[in-house]
Amino acid sequence: MIWFGPAGNSDSFYEEGYKRSFDMPVWLKNMGLNAYEYQCNKGVNLKDETAQIIGQNCKEHNIKLSIHAPYYINLASTDQKKREKSINYILDTLRIARIMQADRIVVHPGYVSGISRQIAIELALDTLLETIRQADEKDYLSSVTICPEVLGKNNQLGTLEEVIVLCSLDERLIPCLDFAHIHALTQGGMKTIDDFKQVFSFVEKHLGRERTRKIHIHFSRVEYGKSGEKKHWTYNDIEYGPDFNPLAQAIIELGLEPVIICESRGTMAEDALTLKNIYEEESKKYTGDY
């Protein structure tokens, strides 16, 4: 089983007159999608009752639900109070995920500022370990998985290698592979099926087959510069990469069952459907079932 859906709500959702995210599950089902990543980028600001309705509607319409935690998180801050706030942001997201019946939250690891990357990763490991300890006290991780995300800028903590180190801390952690970010960090390096397969092979080598099989994926086209990611674009903006076809081919050949969340600008649901259609076409080619 593979899940396709958007990060947040497409412009067209609002243009059609909808205003509340609890209408998204049926809207997505009618489009032919089966996943949704609710955005708490600016904080966990929704009411418990609203979260419960979103979760119930997702369950009713068979939409796999995840949540993006606040952008304010910095596991590697040299300021202890900021690290403590980061822990609380994650715990708040886990709490609302339990209410919403989401089974994954995506977390930005943070930034490297004024310290070496080695010190940054050590700080992040300590902060994440304390987060897990407190989450276990509240029994949050029995039903929700934390997914540290590969980030796209050179000054951010969150290269593929760094995310693997973070996920090595606890077998319940699953990476979020943002292939736009990986493409930006590698200056356009995600082009062929082998480029994508090498990423998955690296994850499997260090984290094992099961976590690789059920990996969390973010995808969009991306503009980048020397410092990494600059801007996400739509899938129709073909002057930017990466293309989804080789990623779909890699997923099929490796027998993976990821959640694939599209982060296109404004057309995330429409482009998620495009990705799903590409995947299905590639599957037909692979099996010869035309």
Side-chain angles (χ1 to χ4, degrees):
M1 186 71 179
I2 296 184
W3 293 268
F4 289 90
N9 306 341
S10 284
D11 292 345
S12 60
F13 174 76
Y14 297 106
E15 290 165 0
E16 291 175 22
Y18 296 98
K19 297 179 180 179
R20 304 295 296 272
S21 291
F22 54 63
D23 290 320
M24 276 294 286
V26 66
W27 191 81
L28 291 172
K29 181 182 180 180
N30 289 338
M31 284 188 70
L33 297 171
N34 59 358
Y36 178 42
E37 191 156 290
Y38 185 84
Q39 303 297 288
C40 286
N41 300 342
K42 297 181 180 179
V44 181
N45 300 316
L46 75 167
K47 296 179 180 179
D48 290 2
E49 294 81 2
T50 303
Q52 191 170 25
I53 294 171
I54 293 172
Q56 288 171 346
N57 289 350
C58 281
K59 189 172 183 180
E60 179 182 349
H61 297 292
N62 297 314
I63 303 295
K64 190 174 183 67
L65 184 60
S66 55
I67 302 176
H68 200 299
Y71 285 152
Y72 313 128
I73 292 167
N74 185 2
L75 302 177
S77 175
T78 55
D79 185 329
Q80 183 178 346
K81 290 184 178 179
K82 289 183 179 179
R83 294 199 304 275
E84 290 172 354
K85 284 184 178 180
S86 294
I87 292 172
N88 288 331
Y89 287 134
I90 297 174
L91 293 175
D92 284 347
T93 311
L94 288 169
R95 185 190 70 81
I96 209 70
R98 283 285 294 269
I99 294 171
M100 203 183 283
Q101 301 180 70
D103 64 0
R104 296 179 175 189
I105 70 165
V106 175
V107 173
H108 282 189
Y111 290 86
V112 180
S113 179
I115 53 177
S116 69
R117 299 196 79 89
Q118 181 59 37
I119 292 174
I121 196 70
E122 290 172 2
L123 283 170
L125 285 167
D126 286 345
T127 309
L128 187 54
L129 186 63
E130 177 60 19
T131 304
I132 293 169
R133 187 191 69 78
Q134 293 188 34
D136 278 335
E137 285 183 352
K138 300 176 182 294
D139 196 33
Y140 287 158
L141 298 180
S142 62
S143 59
V144 187
T145 298
I146 298 173
C147 302
E149 181 179 352
V150 177
L151 301 183
K153 297 178 181 177
N154 294 334
N155 66 343
Q156 291 175 316
L157 183 74
T159 64
L160 175 61
E161 292 77 11
E162 288 164 347
V163 165
I164 294 302
V165 170
L166 292 174
C167 288
S168 299
L169 198 60
D170 191 295
E171 64 182 11
R172 294 170 295 179
L173 303 178
I174 297 176
C176 173
L177 300 180
D178 189 314
F179 281 105
H181 292 164
I182 297 173
H183 190 68
L185 283 180
T186 58
Q187 298 291 292
M190 305 309 299
K191 296 178 180 177
T192 69
I193 183 174
D194 286 338
D195 294 331
F196 289 99
K197 288 173 75 172
Q198 286 174 14
V199 172
F200 292 125
S201 295
F202 184 78
V203 175
E204 183 167 353
K205 176 182 177 181
H206 293 281
L207 300 181
R209 170 64 183 175
E210 184 59 19
R211 282 193 272 183
T212 307
R213 185 182 65 81
K214 58 186 180 182
I215 205 83
H216 200 82
I217 290 174
H218 282 176
F219 190 90
S220 71
R221 296 193 185 276
V222 66
E223 179 182 357
Y224 60 86
K226 292 181 179 179
S227 299
E229 171 200 6
K230 293 176 70 175
K231 184 178 179 181
H232 285 224
W233 290 87
T234 74
Y235 200 72
N236 286 334
D237 293 309
I238 58 174
E239 62 266 41
Y240 304 106
D243 291 328
F244 186 70
N245 295 71
L247 173 54
Q249 293 162 7
I251 289 169
I252 293 162
E253 286 196 16
L254 296 174
L256 307 182
E257 299 183 27
V259 177
I260 301 175
I261 298 297
C262 183
E263 290 193 314
S264 293
R265 291 178 63 86
T267 60
M268 52 283 271
E270 290 84 355
D271 286 359
L273 185 59
T274 297
L275 303 186
K276 178 187 176 185
N277 291 337
I278 290 171
Y279 173 82
E280 290 175 348
E281 286 300 314
E282 292 293 346
S283 294
K284 291 176 183 178
K285 293 178 186 177
Y286 187 77
T287 60
D289 183 21
Y290 291 102

